[in-house]
Amino acid sequence: MLYRGNLFLLIFLTSLVQACWGRDDVTAENMTSLRKYLLRDYDPYLRPRKIQADPLIINASFFVHRFNDINEKEESISLLGYLRISWNDEFLVWNKQEHSNISTIEFKTNDIWWPTIALGNPVGEFETFQNPFKIFRVSSSGDIEWYPAGLYSVTCELNLKKYPFDEQTCDFMFVAIGYSPDAVIINAELSNLQNRETTEWKVEAGRVSSMPYGKTGLTASFTLQRKPYFVVLTVLLPLSLLSVMNLFVILIPVESGEKISFAITTFLAYSIYLSAIGSSLPAKDNVYMVVYIEILMVLSVIMMVSVIVQTRLFFYYGEHHLPCFIGNTISEKILITNKGDVKNMLSMETSKPLKRRTWANSVMIIDKVLFISFSCVLGSVSIYYFDLMMAKS
């Protein structure tokens, strides 16, 4: 009795395993016979619908492995990912019990119909996706799945106005080619858009949606926030320190002869930073940071001109009196009114001497006025443009 119970259990487990795997006892003749049966009168140019008026539903989802690159100069973005595309072929349906319990079978890509999918906004040439394995696996219910994977590069119009505190939204459009929207419908499924950060960008959001009526395809949209720390440390911070250092050109004594050379050096430094940034950004006229650097260059030129004028006045007109200084005017009037009375004039000059102001002894006052004026202008401009760059949209 125990033996018969064990034998029954063994037979039950054997049948269960065969039912689960289903292809343990399938021969090559069985597979060939099924393939010939399914491909008999099969036309790979027809949509796999017995009633051709019915639309073919293609379920599609998009999966991201990682973002590869965002090129500001070319305004393009690339990522490594893959699509999951599935559809049902009504011409490739069979009864498993009638065909040795075969649940799946493989077909070459040339033997059956499969959708023509391509990127709708590629960087390079417009090319359709290929199946490198040249094989599709079909289930007994006619369901087929395809996983085209690769490095996808698309164009993306970047808004760099707030660079490096900018936020970008880019779309990856996948379209079906060769059929009208009524013949083939792509249904966008919930996708796993992994929010993997890169060294420069943070993925804020990602979503997949079907294209509006009139177009057959799906769109994967991503919102990315730039990490500004690298640009701040390598560009904005040195520029800020350079602008502060440029202010102290005014406080260098004129007698040292280093004012003009120092001003020219800071101007050249601004030019180098501007050319470096311009080579990495597209030719757009609304980038706040570029405008900010240009304003710093203009202020540097104005400082340089003021330093040159101040140096010339010091060395060529140093002993000349300031024409607008009130002390010089009063002194001259006293000398004219007391021209006949030398004794009275001498007593007045000895009792209350008047200091006459020249260009040479007025340099320090001019430096203070220029330093305060340029400090106010530089501070106002910096606060204004940093507020524009960091403002939330």
Side-chain angles (χ1 to χ4, degrees), residues 62-66 79-83 148-152:
F62 187 58
F63 300 86
V64 179
H65 178 64
R66 64 177 174 85
L79 60 78
L80 186 64
Y82 66 92
L83 285 165
L151 184 64
Y152 302 116

Side-chain angles (χ1 to χ4, degrees), residues 207-364:
R207 63 184 182 89
V208 175
S209 60
S210 300
M211 288 187 174
Y213 182 78
K215 297 180 180 179
T216 303
L218 64 87
T219 301
S221 299
F222 298 92
T223 301
L224 302 102
Q225 176 70 48
R226 188 191 301 272
K227 298 178 181 178
Y229 311 113
F230 180 77
V231 180
V232 169
L233 292 177
T234 58
V235 179
L236 288 179
L237 183 59
L239 278 175
S240 301
L241 296 177
L242 191 63
S243 62
V244 173
M245 188 173 61
N246 194 29
L247 283 175
F248 286 89
V249 173
I250 301 173
L251 300 182
I252 297 177
V254 180
E255 299 89 333
S256 65
E258 299 293 334
K259 270 196 168 188
I260 298 177
S261 60
F262 196 86
I264 294 175
T265 302
T266 54
F267 176 77
L268 293 177
Y270 284 133
S271 302
I272 293 173
Y273 269 105
L274 187 60
S275 62
I277 295 174
S279 62
S280 60
L281 297 179
K284 293 187 175 182
D285 57 354
N286 57 350
V287 182
Y288 289 144
M289 192 173 74
V290 175
V291 178
Y292 175 63
I293 297 176
E294 290 176 349
I295 292 177
L296 293 182
M297 291 181 64
V298 171
L299 289 176
S300 180
V301 170
I302 296 174
M303 288 184 192
M304 187 164 52
V305 170
S306 64
V307 166
I308 293 174
V309 172
Q310 186 181 12
T311 304
R312 181 174 179 84
L313 290 175
F314 179 83
F315 286 104
Y316 288 93
Y317 305 96
E319 300 302 325
H320 288 65
H321 299 160
L322 290 179
C324 58
F325 186 65
I326 189 170
N328 294 341
T329 307
I330 293 175
S331 177
E332 291 175 358
K333 288 182 178 179
I334 292 174
L335 290 175
I336 293 172
T337 55
N338 298 323
K339 187 175 181 181
D341 191 354
V342 180
K343 183 177 180 180
N344 188 21
M345 179 187 69
L346 291 175
S347 63
M348 183 181 297
E349 289 181 352
T350 53
S351 61
K352 192 176 182 180
L354 293 174
K355 184 178 180 181
R356 309 186 69 175
R357 181 67 67 181
T358 63
W359 287 108
N361 55 26
S362 302
V363 169
M364 186 174 294

Side-chain angles (χ1 to χ4, degrees), residues 107-145:
F107 290 96
K108 290 185 177 180
T109 54
N110 295 331
D111 294 336
I112 64 174
W113 182 94
W114 53 295
T116 304
I117 308 292
L119 269 177
N121 54 339
V123 172
E125 298 180 356
F126 192 84
E127 297 180 354
T128 59
F129 297 156
Q130 301 298 320
N131 186 345
F133 305 105
K134 305 296 182 182
I135 288 177
F136 285 114
R137 175 170 292 180
V138 185
S139 67
S140 60
S141 59
D143 294 329
I144 306 173
E145 289 188 351

